[in-house]
Amino acid sequence: MKILKSRFHIYHLFSNTYSILLYLLITSINAIAAQWNLSFFTIGILNFVGALFYVIASLFFGRIGDRIGQKKVLIFSVFLFLIFSIYGFFLSNILDLFIFTMGFNFFFGTFFPQIEGLLSKREKELGIDPVNTINRFTISWSLGNIIGVAMGPFLIIKFPYVVFGYGIVLNLSSYLILKKDFARHGESISFEPSPELKKSSNTIDFPKISLYRTVYRSTYFLLGLIYSAIIPLFPKLINMNGLPIGITGFIIVGTNIGVVLTFILLERLKSWVGNPKTAAIFLIVFPLMTLFIFMRPTPVIFFVISFLAGMSYAIPYTYAIFYGLNSQKADHGKQGGFHEAITGLTTGIGPLLGGLALQISNGLMGLGFMAIFILVTISAIQLWFIKKTKHVIQN
């Protein structure tokens, strides 16, 4: 327990518990959509519209946190979401589903840039190495979404009041904790970090950081399309293969297991920092995942695809958020907003394109051809980037 207290603090707990809520809600609304027998493309549109609201909130409110304070934005947004969460108990038609999806995406598009901006700015003041800041954040939220993805479809079918009740309790308790913390510490984070967190890793070439951001944000967006298609679309696809919707979460949770294991691995193997060649080698998991898409679908194959898709998502996610938040300017919330806007675009466009591909092919084949196109594109980007940089890592 003492080791955990010297490595994590209350804002990692917020990241974890709200990640549980986010993925409970995402998987729940998609399980409901599958239960109502909505088409793949309609489910894709549902997620696309929700993601647009995520993007709008990320871009607008990310930079506001830099101006008035991340904690102030968190307090206000959590209070509003506490009230809105009650709407979840009254979902009865497609319009309700769209309104609720837009609402919770707008909240999370506001919430996560504030957490990222707060951690990046305040932990830098505490002397914590930026790589350790990013890795601890990614581990905290990825552990949370394992629970959310696994339990969402089951709970929404069996005990729907648990999903929305959890949201109400979490928002109320968070509001009270945030107000108390702000009254005591203002915008600072009260935390005594372990000396291990202050050990410096490889540095990056700051004159070229804009190039790093562009390359890895685009790579993250492209590789995230398959991951973001799997979570909302696989429940219906797996159900078509004879399994009940309620247990589909225990199969697609492979995505999130892949994510958290990758984050843990990248925390220990920091050789990717400032090294495009090493970073590109880790991306080999994506073509491996593509091969499994073309195999005969079984529960095991669905799980393996999900697991490898999670790894393919987590690798460029880590690169993108690290170079995004590793800023020498006072724009951490703004950069967090950009990162979450890309996350929103990915979670919107992925289900839309994936839903269309699955509907046309009536199975996994369409998703496989989509993956091949992405593979060719990101391979070209990585080769160009390696040629463009050609610099030696500074220690």
Side-chain angles (χ1 to χ4, degrees):
M1 185 62 70
K2 186 176 180 181
I3 295 176
L4 287 177
K5 284 185 177 180
S6 65
R7 293 185 64 85
F8 297 93
H9 49 70
I10 188 65
Y11 288 93
H12 293 114
L13 182 61
F14 283 136
S15 172
N16 177 266
T17 52
Y18 273 94
S19 178
I20 293 174
L21 179 59
L22 172 60
Y23 280 86
L24 275 177
L25 295 177
I26 288 174
T27 53
S28 291
I29 63 107
N30 286 298
I32 292 172
Q35 189 180 39
W36 290 355
N37 202 30
L38 302 185
S39 69
F40 283 117
F41 190 59
T42 302
I43 296 173
I45 293 174
L46 174 67
N47 285 270
F48 178 75
V49 172
L52 284 181
F53 278 77
Y54 192 102
V55 171
I56 292 169
S58 297
L59 291 176
F60 182 71
F61 287 107
R63 62 187 66 204
I64 283 183
D66 289 328
R67 296 172 185 171
I68 68 172
Q70 278 86 19
K71 289 186 183 180
K72 289 181 181 178
V73 178
L74 285 171
I75 292 169
F76 183 68
S77 60
V78 164
F79 178 75
L80 290 181
F81 194 48
L82 167 63
I83 299 171
F84 180 80
S85 295
I86 299 171
Y87 187 52
F89 288 102
F90 302 99
L91 303 180
S92 60
N93 54 54
I94 295 177
L95 180 60
D96 287 337
L97 214 55
F98 270 89
I99 293 173
F100 188 70
T101 301
M102 290 184 290
F104 81 71
N105 272 283
F106 193 85
F107 166 73
F108 283 105
T110 303
F111 179 85
F112 277 113
Q114 307 313 316
I115 293 291
E116 292 165 14
L118 184 70
L119 289 175
S120 178
K121 184 176 183 179
R122 301 305 172 182
E123 289 203 348
K124 188 175 183 179
E125 293 173 354
L126 294 172
I128 297 174
D129 177 47
V131 176
N132 290 325
T133 293
I134 299 305
N135 285 333
R136 284 155 51 248
F137 165 71
T138 54
I139 289 172
S140 65
W141 77 251
S142 60
L143 285 172
N145 64 44
I146 287 178
I147 300 171
V149 169
M151 299 304 298
F154 173 77
L155 289 175
I156 203 64
I157 300 298
K158 299 291 185 180
F159 311 102
Y161 56 87
V162 174
V163 174
F164 306 117
Y166 171 71
I168 291 171
V169 171
L170 176 61
N171 283 304
L172 177 59
S173 58
S174 298
Y175 174 73
L176 296 174
I177 292 170
L178 282 165
K179 285 207 69 172
K180 184 177 180 180
D181 181 64
F182 182 73
R184 286 185 174 182
H185 307 293
E187 288 291 331
S188 298
I189 294 177
S190 177
F191 177 58
E192 186 63 42
S194 163
E196 289 293 316
L197 296 179
K198 297 184 178 183
K199 287 185 178 179
S200 181
S201 55
N202 296 327
T203 58
I204 63 171
D205 189 351
F206 272 99
K208 293 182 179 178
I209 197 168
S210 293
L211 177 61
Y212 278 77
R213 287 172 176 167
T214 301
V215 167
Y216 288 123
R217 282 171 174 169
S218 61
T219 304
Y220 165 50
F221 169 76
L222 289 168
L223 290 184
L225 292 177
I226 300 295
Y227 167 87
S228 60
I230 285 173
I231 291 178
L233 299 172
F234 266 30
K236 180 177 175 68
L237 190 62
I238 295 170
N239 182 243
M240 288 170 57
N241 281 265
L243 293 175
I245 293 172
I247 69 166
T248 58
F250 299 110
I251 296 177
I252 63 172
V253 75
T255 54
N256 305 94
I257 294 173
V259 166
V260 71
L261 290 180
T262 302
F263 286 154
I264 292 171
L265 177 67
L266 292 179
E267 181 187 27
R268 298 184 178 280
L269 302 176
K270 299 177 182 179
S271 56
W272 55 269
V273 177
N275 193 330
K277 288 183 180 179
T278 303
I281 291 172
F282 286 125
L283 298 175
I284 196 70
V285 294
F286 187 75
L288 181 60
M289 180 216 67
T290 304
L291 291 175
F292 278 92
I293 290 179
F294 287 97
M295 295 183 181
R296 186 176 67 86
T298 65
V300 173
I301 292 298
F302 279 127
F303 181 87
V304 172
I305 292 170
S306 299
F307 178 78
L308 293 175
M311 295 188 72
S312 301
Y313 172 89
I315 292 168
Y317 178 99
T318 303
Y319 303 163
I321 194 172
F322 171 74
Y323 293 113
L325 294 180
N326 197 345
S327 178
Q328 292 182 314
K329 301 177 182 178
D331 63 345
H332 300 85
K334 175 183 174 182
Q335 295 299 334
F338 282 146
H339 178 80
E340 292 304 322
I342 294 169
T343 299
L345 287 172
T346 301
T347 56
I349 296 175
L352 191 66
L353 294 179
L356 184 60
L358 288 172
Q359 193 152 314
I360 291 173
S361 64
N362 198 31
L364 277 171
M365 192 69 70
L367 203 63
F369 286 116
M370 179 176 161
I372 289 174
F373 175 79
I374 293 171
L375 175 59
V376 172
T377 305
I378 63 110
S379 296
I381 291 173
Q382 298 307 308
L383 289 173
W384 173 83
F385 182 48
I386 291 170
K387 184 178 180 180
K388 186 79 174 176
T389 47
K390 287 185 177 178
H391 68 279
V392 179
I393 303 174
Q394 299 173 0
N395 290 305

